[in-house]
């Protein structure tokens, strides 16, 4: 089972205290989370460094996993230290130098009413090689599409949490953008300002200043975003956190996405599909190629995650030490 897929399999995944072969499965179709998205997860990356694989900002990811669990009123069956150790173990067990890591907490088998009163909370952790999230060519800049659907609003849901069910909006709009011929979606918020990508935060650059928005604009304030704000300041750039309007986006000198999976990816065009009845206008960002500041951030982020910047060693958890 699970051999004949597109998935770049690893050797083992971790499930409730045991490493299992990647192809072994024993989860029941009546698991609560499968029906209602009552799961929470993290997306983490480990990178190859001179001292072996290092996980980027692991404590922050584990903290967010617990925050998300609290939002869905779930009590994790392990504490933070234990989950940290299980994550490191999963990377080691697969002999992975660099990888993506997916801890998943979910309401499991017990009852199928919406309130999971008899469902235990279970944890699974997988780690596998996952290269460029938007494909190898994305580094040359991607074409994005503002979808007509507005991002879930921060008054409707705690946007700092990563809950399985809430990602269905990201999936739908990610598919919609691709059906329309674009590389990725961009969401506006209910106020009509720029929110984020389906799994990425957005930065714009104007006159040398880096601008990004925050949770009041209905975005998940990502760990990559926070890291880039610090790196940008250390590089001497001015940074501003404020709302971003559509006009800001269209008039920006540079635009880029950031996130654990996508890392830092320049955006070279934005097509406005936010009004299905209106004209669809393509806005080229800057000169239509990745700009110098975006490229600088790509490079500085790579150096930080791979242990080549002593200043950011503080963000690395070495798997073998
Ligand atoms: N926004 C959303 C909706 C996301 O899913 C992600 C990915 N976790 C991000 C932003 C970026 O967050 P991070 O940098 O922590 O991966």
């Amino acid at each position: 089972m699970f051999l004949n897929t597109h998935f770049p399999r690893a050797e083992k995944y971790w499930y409730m205290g045991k490493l299992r072969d990647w192809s072994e499965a024993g989860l029941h179709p009546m698991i609560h989370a499968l029906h209602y998205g009552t799961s929470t997860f993290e997306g983490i990356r480990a990178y190859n460094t001179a001292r072996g694989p290092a996980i980027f900002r692991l404590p922050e990811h584990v903290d967010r996993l617990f925050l998300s669990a609290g939002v869905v009123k779930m009590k994790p069956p392990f504490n933070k230290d234990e989950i940290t150790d299980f994550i490191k173990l999963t990377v080691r067990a697969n002999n992975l130098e660099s990888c993506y890591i997916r801890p998943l907490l979910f309401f499991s088998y017990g009852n199928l009413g919406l309130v999971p009163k008899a469902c235990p909370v279970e944890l699974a952790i997988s780690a596998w090689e996952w290269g460029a999230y938007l494909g190898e060519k994305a580094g040359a800049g991607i074409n994005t599409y503002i979808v007509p659907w507005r991002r879930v609003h921060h008054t409707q849901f705690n946007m700092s949490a990563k809950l399985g069910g809430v990602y269905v909006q990201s999936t739908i709009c990610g598919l919609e953008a691709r059906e329309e011929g674009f590389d990725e979606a961009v969401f506006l918020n209910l106020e009509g300002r720029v929110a984020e990508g389906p799994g990425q935060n957005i930065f714009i650059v104007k006159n040398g200043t880096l601008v990004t928005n925050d949770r009041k604009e209905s975005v998940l304030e990502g760990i990559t975003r926070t890291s880039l704000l610090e790196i940008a300041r250390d590089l001497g750039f001015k940074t501003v956190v404020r709302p971003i309007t559509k006009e800001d986006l269209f008039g920006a000198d540079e635009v880029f996405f950031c996130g654990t999976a996508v890392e830092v990816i320049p955006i070279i065009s934005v097509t406005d599909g936010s009004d299905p009845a209106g004209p669809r206008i393509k806005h080229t960002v800057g000169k239509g190629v990745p700009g110098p500041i975006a490229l600088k951030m790509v490079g500085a982020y790579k150096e930080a995650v791979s242990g080549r910047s002593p200043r950011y060693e503080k963000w690395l958890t070495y798997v073998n030490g």
Side-chain angles (χ1 to χ4, degrees):
M1 207 182 175
F2 303 124
L3 294 174
N4 182 20
T5 74
H6 176 71
F7 212 98
R9 297 176 306 126
E11 288 176 26
K12 305 271 180 195
Y13 68 93
W14 184 100
Y15 172 58
M16 292 306 287
K18 264 206 206 133
L19 287 165
R20 296 186 176 197
D21 284 342
W22 185 271
S23 303
E24 180 189 343
L27 301 182
H28 198 276
M30 287 304 121
I31 283 175
H32 200 270
L34 202 53
H35 299 256
Y36 308 124
T38 45
S39 60
T40 169
F41 64 94
E42 267 307 310
I44 311 173
R45 275 192 190 270
Y47 291 87
N48 192 14
T49 76
R51 289 174 52 192
I55 303 174
F56 188 64
R57 306 205 75 164
L58 181 57
E60 290 85 348
H61 282 286
V62 173
D63 282 349
R64 189 168 65 188
L65 184 67
F66 276 71
L67 181 146
S68 303
V71 170
V72 68
K73 305 187 191 304
M74 176 188 270
K75 195 173 170 309
F78 303 99
N79 68 31
K80 287 184 184 178
D81 287 344
E82 289 167 330
I83 292 182
T84 300
D85 285 345
F86 300 148
I87 289 173
K88 288 161 72 176
L89 172 74
T90 309
V91 177
R92 275 200 303 270
N94 284 290
N95 290 314
L96 292 162
E97 287 187 331
S98 56
C99 59
Y100 186 86
I101 308 163
R102 168 57 54 86
L104 176 73
L105 279 168
F106 57 100
F107 282 114
S108 186
Y109 179 95
N111 67 287
L112 213 59
L114 286 171
V115 175
K117 56 180 188 285
C119 298
V121 176
E122 297 194 332
L123 174 67
I125 304 169
S126 309
W128 69 97
E129 261 185 76
W130 192 351
Y133 180 79
L134 291 173
E136 291 302 333
K137 285 193 275 182
I142 62 164
N143 296 295
T144 60
Y145 176 64
I146 303 181
V147 289
W149 303 99
R150 300 292 192 262
R151 189 61 165 149
V152 178
H153 197 252
H154 66 87
T155 57
Q156 298 171 310
F157 174 71
N158 181 342
M159 295 294 287
S160 303
K162 287 176 76 73
L163 298 196
V166 179
Y167 272 85
V168 75
Q169 191 191 33
S170 290
T171 298
I172 292 168
C173 293
L175 284 169
E176 202 158 310
R178 286 158 182 81
E179 275 168 15
E180 297 294 331
F182 299 92
D183 298 311
E184 190 55 294
V186 170
F187 285 109
L188 301 183
N189 56 26
L190 271 181
E191 292 82 1
R193 294 188 292 267
V194 175
E196 61 182 348
Q200 307 92 349
N201 290 116
I202 292 182
F203 275 82
I204 65 166
V205 181
K206 189 71 189 175
N207 301 325
T209 297
L210 286 89
V211 181
T212 192
N213 50 15
D214 67 7
R215 66 186 69 189
K216 294 191 290 296
E217 294 297 292
S218 300
V219 308
L220 179 144
E221 286 176 13
I223 292 166
T224 317
R225 165 195 174 281
T226 309
S227 308
L228 291 181
L229 281 171
E230 185 170 332
I231 293 172
R233 284 183 211 122
D234 291 343
L235 287 171
F237 293 116
K238 195 172 163 222
T239 62
V240 178
V241 175
R242 64 158 171 84
I244 299 171
T245 63
K246 274 204 299 183
E247 290 66 36
D248 290 333
L249 185 66
F250 301 152
D253 300 330
E254 303 182 38
V255 181
F256 58 89
F257 266 151
C258 70
T260 299
V262 81
E263 301 171 306
V264 184
I265 287 293
I267 292 175
I268 52 174
S269 80
V270 184
T271 298
D272 189 1
S274 62
D275 176 4
R280 189 185 278 190
I281 299 169
K282 178 174 177 175
H283 301 268
T284 299
V285 176
K287 298 192 175 75
V289 292
I293 295 181
L295 289 177
K296 196 153 194 175
M297 297 311 294
V298 170
Y301 184 70
K302 256 195 201 125
E303 293 211 337
V305 297
S306 56
R308 281 180 277 139
S309 297
R311 190 170 200 161
Y312 307 118
E313 277 273 331
K314 59 183 182 180
W315 288 338
L316 305 186
T317 299
Y318 291 96
V319 169
N320 298 319

